[in-house]
Amino acid sequence: MDISDIRTEYIKYGLQRADLEVNPLAQFTTWFKQAQVAKLPEVNAMSLATADGQGRPDVRTVLLKIFDERGFVFFTNYKSAKAEQLHQNPQAALLFPWLALERQVRITGAVEKISAAESLKYFSSRPRGSQLGAWISEQSHPIKNREKLSQLLHSIKERFKSGDIPLPSHWGGYRVIPDHYEFWQGRASRLHDRFSYCKTEQGWHIERLAP
């Protein structure tokens, strides 16, 4: 199928050096809030790219749940494929595709597990069904059929039919600690505005990149 005639001209906004915050987290926060105001669907959805010990890449969409000066946090099963890759190679890249605003944000950095206390705080805020799901899903591993999940769900509901559901030992958060950001704003004729923030000993170095 030839789809080479599909194209969009990006004309909504521009991005100048003078528009940028000195701190990339502040710039990300500004754009995130603007995406919220625009009511973009799943505004906190991000592509998470990882690689295993042999450098074989992998990517999937996850949800950002916390971001602050320490980094960007998502939650997962610690026995999943992504967790195994992060164990072998604790580096990751994030991509926020806010295409309705003709924007993207790219972030790269080292990855660490967050504390059990932090994971419990978030886990306790999840709907009960999501808490139960974290207990039964052997994420990324083969499963015979959908009925098996139903059986496991019934069993775990019986186990935790009253009281709070405890945090599973195999489930929790990871934090991506940024050392590089890129803010991308689409422009006409594919002459996009791109600015990178690179972390140095002196702080964040900002420069414009060719489109």
Side-chain angles (χ1 to χ4, degrees), residues 112-129:
E112 65 180 13
K113 284 184 178 180
I114 68 173
S115 70
E118 291 175 289
S119 291
L120 176 59
K121 181 179 179 180
Y122 172 68
F123 183 80
S124 299
S125 74
R126 301 182 93 201
R128 194 172 181 85

Side-chain angles (χ1 to χ4, degrees), residues 55-173:
R56 182 178 175 84
D58 202 355
V59 67
R60 76 290 288 162
T61 300
V62 299
L63 297 177
L64 175 68
K65 288 299 180 179
I66 302 168
F67 68 93
D68 55 28
E69 65 281 354
R70 296 175 297 169
F72 291 72
V73 176
F74 64 93
F75 292 86
T76 190
N77 188 307
Y78 284 148
K79 296 180 180 180
S80 64
K82 72 176 80 64
E84 178 58 30
Q85 291 159 4
L86 288 171
H87 175 72
Q88 297 176 29
N89 183 2
Q91 301 283 328
L94 307 176
L95 171 67
F96 294 86
W98 295 325
L99 301 183
L101 297 178
E102 301 174 356
R103 290 174 175 172
Q104 299 181 75
V105 182
R106 298 168 59 201
I107 299 170
T108 58
V111 181
E112 65 180 13
K113 284 184 178 180
I114 68 173
S115 70
E118 291 175 289
S119 291
L120 176 59
K121 181 179 179 180
Y122 172 68
F123 183 80
S124 299
S125 74
R126 301 182 93 201
R128 194 172 181 85
S130 297
Q131 293 178 346
L132 293 169
W135 270 94
I136 67 171
S137 176
E138 296 184 6
Q139 195 174 87
S140 304
H141 295 270
I143 188 169
K144 184 178 180 180
N145 51 43
R146 184 78 190 183
E147 287 68 30
K148 180 62 175 178
L149 281 178
S150 297
Q151 293 168 8
L152 291 170
L153 180 59
H154 176 75
S155 175
I156 205 70
K157 280 183 176 179
E158 285 298 305
R159 180 178 173 184
F160 298 124
K161 60 184 176 182
S162 62
D164 294 336
I165 300 172
L167 174 70
S169 61
H170 61 263
W171 191 94

Side-chain angles (χ1 to χ4, degrees), residues 11-78:
I11 57 174
K12 288 185 177 180
Y13 309 105
L15 185 63
Q16 301 298 325
R17 174 64 179 84
D19 300 330
L20 296 173
E21 301 281 355
V22 173
N23 186 293
L25 179 62
Q27 182 63 39
F28 178 87
T29 302
T30 295
W31 272 21
F32 187 87
K33 289 179 178 178
Q34 290 173 356
Q36 286 182 299
V37 170
K39 300 187 183 302
L40 301 192
E42 299 286 7
V43 66
N44 60 326
M46 61 186 185
S47 299
L48 167 69
T50 54
D52 62 20
Q54 287 69 51
R56 182 178 175 84
D58 202 355
V59 67
R60 76 290 288 162
T61 300
V62 299
L63 297 177
L64 175 68
K65 288 299 180 179
I66 302 168
F67 68 93
D68 55 28
E69 65 281 354
R70 296 175 297 169
F72 291 72
V73 176
F74 64 93
F75 292 86
T76 190
N77 188 307
Y78 284 148

